[in-house]
Amino acid sequence: MTYIPDKMIGNPDNYPERLSHEEVEKRFRKLLGEFETPSVPLNIRTTKEVELEGGIIRQRIEYDVEPGESVPAYLLFRKNLPEDAPGMLSIHAHGGDNIFPHGKAYHCHPDKDDPTQYSYIAALRGFRVLAPDALCFGERQSKFGFDQNYYDEVNSHAELCGKGKHLAWKSVWDNSRAIETLEALGCKNTGAMGWSGGSTQAYILASVNRKVKASACFFSYLTLRHQFYQFRCKHCLYHFIPGMMQAGIDWDQVAALIPPRKIFLAWGALDFSGTPKPMYRAFVEAIRNRALELGIADSPATFEDHEIGHRLTMPILNAAMEFLHQELSQGQG
């Protein structure tokens, strides 16, 4: 019989600690690990190009992120797009077995009326979009023994932890290289967006990488105090950094490091298994309080739909596109 304790070790009444934003950032960056010193040049190369409906060019490119490791990605943009058009890192969802084999391709089909095709739609709206495969997805699937898909991620996270790292660090490292790729392609202002596990990757990246000028996140806001003491959601593994609870910090405090840069948060009130209400509210409150301290009255931008669960809709995506255009077009030529 497996014993599952009612509570994890520790006292949730004293967690997270009341800390200054400077102290939260100091502790979190120590736990996260170094991500600002590239170990190899990007060496961007294009391997294939096709034209999609709507005059969208989709290139398959690769760029190097670590010694001996490259990331395959799709680069999508309108024909005759200005070279300094805003750049958008579009992070695919985590999902289930239907997304692991596809990765980046899952959101890049030429369907302007399907909100899950947000990489393609963002290109239609005038962004230069980079949609990479995350580790364990698409062309970066790495099979361990007889297990597949989510178990590959479990094993990859375990392997990284054995090396003194973790999946959150790998996500920030690879996505920071993606932002540098957009810069190398001429983008002066860059943002990030994602759905579900892609949302998680986007706000973790934005919390520490100041090159992300604006971000749009669709669902999947997790706080460890609610996760371990109340809901036990079945989330992806980006949230679980060894020692984070011991350090006295939680994810809403980390997300509050994003201001003065802007963020858009979308949430469905029926998303009971993805983002229960207390988790979402904690994110909104923490970011809003920090923004008000900095004299910013309209952050975060939010879209709450009380009729949906973990589902991306066109009204959500349209609002996000308008937000991103407003924030990333400032200062453009």
Side-chain angles (χ1 to χ4, degrees):
M1 179 177 178
T2 301
Y3 171 64
I4 302 177
D6 291 332
K7 292 185 177 182
M8 302 287 286
I9 297 174
N11 184 352
D13 295 333
N14 297 326
Y15 175 78
E17 295 179 22
R18 293 181 178 273
L19 301 167
S20 68
H21 295 285
E22 292 76 17
E23 183 62 25
V24 170
E25 182 170 22
K26 176 183 176 181
R27 295 186 187 189
F28 182 66
R29 281 180 171 265
K30 182 177 180 180
L31 288 170
L32 179 65
E34 164 62 35
F35 70 91
E36 296 177 310
T37 307
S39 53
V40 294
L42 290 168
N43 188 25
I44 303 168
R45 57 264 189 204
T46 302
T47 60
K48 186 178 181 180
E49 178 175 308
V50 297
E51 183 171 341
L52 306 177
E53 296 175 18
I56 298 299
I57 304 299
R58 188 184 72 194
Q59 296 177 337
R60 182 193 178 280
I61 71 170
E62 294 184 11
Y63 51 90
D64 296 334
V65 292
E66 295 192 72
E69 182 181 10
S70 62
V71 168
Y74 284 146
L75 181 68
L76 300 96
F77 53 92
R78 288 194 319 224
K79 288 192 294 186
N80 302 318
L81 186 72
E83 289 186 2
D84 63 347
M88 182 59 56
L89 170 60
S90 182
I91 309 174
H92 61 71
H94 185 272
D97 291 348
N98 59 327
I99 295 182
F100 274 96
H102 300 286
K104 63 184 179 299
Y106 191 86
H107 302 295
C108 291
H109 298 296
D111 188 341
K112 63 182 178 59
D113 299 315
D114 179 359
T116 66
Q117 303 311 314
Y118 52 80
S119 296
Y120 170 77
I121 292 172
L124 281 176
R125 304 289 178 91
F127 292 99
R128 190 180 303 276
V129 180
L130 183 64
D133 279 327
L135 185 65
C136 300
F137 290 83
E139 296 181 66
R140 298 181 73 193
Q141 283 194 294
S142 53
K143 300 299 183 184
F144 287 80
F146 299 102
D147 295 328
Q148 294 183 2
N149 296 333
Y150 183 69
Y151 293 100
D152 296 335
E153 184 179 86
V154 171
N155 285 318
S156 292
H157 180 60
E159 186 177 85
L160 285 163
C161 288
K163 298 176 180 178
K165 299 177 181 178
H166 42 73
L167 201 59
W169 170 84
K170 182 58 173 168
S171 166
V172 171
W173 180 272
D174 287 354
N175 286 328
S176 293
R177 301 291 82 78
I179 294 294
E180 291 170 14
T181 298
L182 284 167
E183 290 179 329
L185 294 170
C187 299
K188 295 180 179 179
N189 287 346
T190 57
M193 68 175 179
W195 174 31
S196 193
S199 169
T200 297
Q201 291 194 64
Y203 62 71
I204 295 176
L205 177 69
S207 70
V208 292
N209 191 326
R210 292 177 174 82
K211 292 181 178 180
V212 179
K213 303 300 183 184
S215 48
C217 301
F218 313 130
F219 313 100
S220 295
Y221 318 107
L222 185 141
T223 44
L224 298 176
R225 59 188 182 276
H226 297 110
Q227 167 71 8
F228 292 132
Y229 295 98
Q230 189 172 355
F231 292 105
R232 297 281 176 92
C233 298
K234 187 178 180 181
H235 269 277
C236 50
L237 299 179
Y238 303 111
H239 294 106
F240 305 123
I241 297 178
M244 191 159 167
M245 294 188 76
Q246 186 178 17
I249 56 177
D250 208 343
W251 284 108
D252 52 331
Q253 293 171 305
V254 173
L257 300 174
I258 295 173
R261 291 162 298 124
K262 300 291 188 67
I263 185 170
F264 173 98
L265 305 178
W267 176 67
L270 304 183
D271 188 15
F272 304 119
S273 62
T275 305
K277 185 176 180 179
M279 295 186 181
Y280 169 71
R281 292 296 182 207
F283 268 65
V284 172
E285 181 180 3
I287 295 170
R288 182 167 293 155
N289 288 342
R290 178 55 175 163
L292 288 174
E293 288 178 12
L294 296 172
I296 305 169
D298 58 348
S299 183
T302 60
F303 191 111
E304 300 185 26
D305 191 323
H306 295 278
E307 304 298 325
I308 65 170
H310 201 77
R311 181 168 63 88
L312 187 55
T313 65
M314 281 307 300
I316 289 175
L317 188 60
N318 286 334
M321 291 291 101
E322 182 178 349
F323 163 84
L324 291 166
H325 263 297
Q326 178 180 338
E327 297 302 327
L328 294 175
S329 295
Q330 297 176 11
Q332 293 289 105

